[in-house]
Amino acid sequence: MKKFLNEFKEFAMKGNVVDMAVGVVIGAAFGKIVTSLVNDIIMPVVGVLTGGTNFSEYKWVIKQGVAEGTEIITPEVAVTWGTFVQTIVDFIIIAFCIFLAIKVMNKMRRKPEPEPEAPAAPAPPTQEELLTEIRDILRKEADKK
């Protein structure tokens, strides 16, 4: 049991697990900020621009509900396609806001210093140098004979 607890402690304290936990917490907080931005700032403006249209109210009724007074006997059966459209619109707006936020954060990030250039490779030997080397090798071979 002690070995198991030590293994778990080692796993839980690894850098990548801790980094992931921090990312999840910050992601949740950032999600709240983006949701507030969309719901409280952007959607009212979109609502004014579209004349107060709220797609979530649109639906296709397949079967009417039956009610007696305030009691519902049979609930309505409907395809709420407007809710789907509203969710898509919300997603596009949220995705665009996240794109802009990441773009701003990337610009604010310090640019890495350029790595020093590697020394230039030595120039290849010229034709005259190669011919001189060949001549010297041939002379040595001739002297050996």
Side-chain angles (χ1 to χ4, degrees):
M1 184 68 171
K2 189 174 183 180
K3 183 180 176 186
F4 178 77
L5 290 175
N6 284 338
E7 286 180 24
F8 177 72
K9 179 181 174 186
E10 184 179 323
F11 167 77
M13 295 319 237
K14 281 186 179 176
N16 54 358
V17 173
V18 174
D19 291 344
M20 185 178 72
V22 170
V24 168
V25 170
I26 289 182
F30 186 71
K32 289 180 182 179
I33 291 170
V34 171
T35 301
S36 176
L37 173 69
V38 169
N39 292 338
D40 302 331
I41 296 173
I42 295 174
M43 287 311 287
V45 173
V46 171
V48 168
L49 294 175
T50 61
T53 302
N54 186 359
F55 292 106
S56 61
E57 297 171 359
Y58 295 119
K59 60 186 173 184
W60 174 48
V61 178
I62 298 172
K63 181 180 175 187
Q64 291 289 335
V66 177
E68 288 184 14
T70 59
E71 185 179 344
I72 297 175
I73 306 297
T74 307
E76 174 181 80
V77 178
V79 174
T80 55
W81 63 271
T83 303
F84 181 70
V85 170
Q86 187 69 39
T87 302
I88 291 173
V89 170
D90 291 347
F91 170 78
I92 291 170
I93 292 170
I94 290 170
F96 183 71
C97 289
I98 290 173
F99 168 75
L100 290 178
I102 290 174
K103 191 171 176 97
V104 167
M105 286 190 295
N106 285 339
K107 281 189 177 182
M108 290 175 28
R109 207 181 269 174
R110 274 191 249 155
K111 294 181 181 175
E113 294 180 16
E115 293 183 21
E117 292 183 25
T126 63
Q127 188 174 6
E128 289 86 16
E129 291 171 336
L130 288 173
L131 289 172
T132 304
E133 285 180 30
I134 293 171
R135 181 197 66 201
D136 293 342
I137 292 171
L138 290 173
R139 274 190 190 160
K140 286 181 185 177
E141 290 295 321
D143 290 342
K144 285 182 185 177
K145 291 183 183 179

